[in-house]
Amino acid sequence: MAGQVQWPWLDGQANVPGIVEKICPESHISQNQWQPGWNQVYWQTDYDYISDYECVFNYPINVADNIGLYGRGIWDNLQADKQQGTHVPITNLAHFTSPANAEKIIENGGFRGGMKKINEDAQGNDITAKFSWWSPILTGERDKNQVRRTLGAAIQPFLGQYDDQDNLQNQFATSDAFTPNPRRYGSRYFQYSINELFEYYENMYSIHDELQFKIMGTFGYKVEIMHAVLVCSQADGDGRFGAYPPVLKPEEDVNNEAVVTRDGDGNWIWKPQATGTEITRLQAHWQYYPMYRRWENVAFAFHIPDEWGNDLQNETFMAVPNLRDHLHVLPRRSTAEKMKEKR
């Protein structure tokens, strides 16, 4: 039917019972590609996927009204800034877990990972594989301030006499991607540099096999959009994961549409469009709702093949050295942050 929303999403299998998870395999759905109708599969529709560059305006965005209020040149400059995006370097990865599981990981000498549905075959049967999941660790003020400065400069031309720029730009870089929630992730995490971790992973293969980095897919939740990057061997990348497109190099991302890029020197850049949840608007935009929006995350899924049966129980796991030295504790959240969690 003409005009009907096409649903590229498959039913996922969330780790937490009762949580709705949707999967769009082999693609990183960007904020520009998001369709509001996709919100309807979740329990609440209060959380739309709204860009950092546009959350300060009334929503849904009325382009004609905004051009009339600010002028086409200023509005077009904002859209150009949005297209360029916010660039966040990924230098370190973290695996979050509970205190008890952290001790088990140290005892085992590595990460067993877990089975995860990532796709379906032509007959609708689940495609699953085993992965160890890692996320960028961006808790430093440098990362947060870089995001806020970039977005603050983008919205500055729209400020009115009574707008507080600090208040507006401090809503950015506040999501769990920048301040991980111990109640959600666990209060312990192992941290390694991204290239160091790739080296340990590559060493697990008996024959030197160049790693491949693939776009696994987009995982959608009520308040989160997670873009998953698959890390696997060349053999698996050409074989069982052959349909998944590679992560682009910056020079290949000619339209600035890639969520994650990796250059020839191994430098990773994440380009999030939604780094906060609670919305603060310009004074000229009085609209009260929506109060919240979805936030973005990126995760690296290290494939653990069946042939890594490398412990006494013949269980597969990803061996990583010096685990105790790389174990950290997530700080407790402030009272104000805990109050926000309850909203």
Side-chain angles (χ1 to χ4, degrees):
M1 181 182 299
Q4 186 175 11
V5 175
Q6 298 298 312
W7 299 78
W9 304 93
L10 306 175
D11 289 330
Q13 297 173 355
N15 294 331
V16 179
I19 297 297
V20 176
E21 177 185 87
K22 293 290 182 177
I23 309 170
C24 183
E26 305 169 21
S27 178
H28 283 166
I29 298 293
S30 67
Q31 189 274 333
N32 276 335
Q33 296 169 321
W34 186 264
Q35 299 180 28
W38 293 344
N39 296 322
Q40 297 170 8
V41 301
Y42 301 93
W43 286 354
Q44 296 181 6
T45 59
D46 295 337
Y47 299 88
D48 208 340
Y49 192 3
I50 306 171
S51 170
D52 288 332
Y53 291 85
E54 296 170 341
C55 67
V56 296
F57 306 102
N58 287 339
Y59 186 82
I61 299 296
N62 189 315
V63 175
D65 283 356
N66 288 331
I67 289 175
L69 187 60
Y70 300 106
R72 176 169 291 279
I74 292 178
W75 183 257
D76 287 348
N77 287 340
L78 178 68
Q79 297 308 305
D81 288 340
K82 178 184 175 183
Q83 185 69 21
Q84 183 64 27
T86 306
H87 292 212
V88 180
I90 301 174
T91 56
N92 296 294
L93 294 180
H95 176 87
F96 297 92
T97 190
S98 67
N101 284 339
E103 292 302 319
K104 290 180 181 178
I105 289 169
I106 293 173
E107 180 182 346
N108 293 332
F111 302 85
R112 284 196 168 93
M115 298 299 294
K116 182 68 176 175
K117 175 182 176 179
I118 60 171
N119 210 333
E120 293 178 0
D121 63 20
Q123 289 72 43
N125 300 311
D126 292 349
I127 296 176
T128 63
K130 196 173 186 181
F131 303 98
S132 177
W133 293 85
W134 296 71
S135 298
I137 188 76
L138 305 169
T139 56
E141 290 303 311
R142 183 189 64 179
D143 296 311
K144 298 176 185 178
N145 289 336
Q146 176 184 339
V147 171
R148 290 168 183 163
R149 283 194 300 268
T150 298
L151 293 163
I155 65 173
Q156 196 279 330
F158 300 90
L159 298 183
Q161 180 179 357
Y162 300 105
D163 285 309
D164 184 333
Q165 180 161 1
D166 287 341
N167 188 41
L168 286 164
Q169 70 184 45
N170 284 343
Q171 69 181 300
F172 306 125
T174 56
S175 70
D176 282 1
F178 292 85
T179 308
N181 183 352
R183 293 177 58 187
R184 184 171 186 264
Y185 292 98
S187 61
R188 300 293 186 271
Y189 67 96
F190 296 91
Q191 176 180 328
Y192 290 85
S193 75
I194 188 168
N195 290 324
E196 186 179 24
L197 199 60
F198 290 154
E199 180 181 349
Y200 296 145
Y201 178 77
E202 190 174 26
N203 289 340
M204 292 294 299
Y205 292 93
S206 57
I207 300 176
H208 180 74
D209 198 357
E210 185 175 351
L211 300 186
Q212 289 199 11
F213 306 101
K214 300 254 188 170
I215 296 174
M216 176 187 284
T218 304
F219 291 74
Y221 307 92
K222 184 179 74 172
V223 298
E224 178 189 358
I225 300 294
M226 185 183 79
H227 298 108
V229 174
L230 168 64
V231 184
C232 64
S233 68
Q234 183 172 350
D236 284 326
D238 294 338
R240 65 183 299 180
F241 301 121
Y244 294 81
V247 170
L248 294 181
K249 296 179 180 178
E251 60 269 23
E252 296 171 333
D253 183 25
V254 293
N255 295 320
N256 279 321
E257 294 178 343
V259 175
V260 180
T261 62
R262 178 180 183 268
D263 68 19
D265 295 324
N267 298 309
W268 289 81
I269 295 293
W270 177 39
K271 297 189 290 184
Q273 279 285 332
T275 63
T277 296
E278 190 168 357
I279 298 173
T280 303
R281 293 185 177 85
L282 295 160
Q283 290 291 326
H285 295 261
W286 49 266
Q287 182 176 301
Y288 191 62
Y289 290 100
M291 298 174 61
Y292 308 102
R293 59 192 175 112
R294 279 188 173 86
W295 56 276
E296 286 178 54
N297 195 14
V298 61
F300 288 75
F302 288 75
H303 175 234
I304 300 181
D306 294 337
E307 57 266 26
W308 286 2
N310 45 13
D311 67 0
L312 295 178
Q313 288 76 38
N314 202 36
E315 290 191 52
T316 58
F317 70 93
M318 173 180 163
V320 179
N322 304 319
L323 287 162
R324 179 73 66 183
D325 295 338
H326 290 264
L327 179 63
H328 303 271
V329 178
L330 268 181
R332 293 183 178 181
R333 289 201 151 187
S334 66
T335 301
E337 289 171 328
K338 290 179 180 178
M339 291 298 293
K340 287 184 179 181
E341 291 175 26
K342 298 178 181 180
R343 294 177 182 175

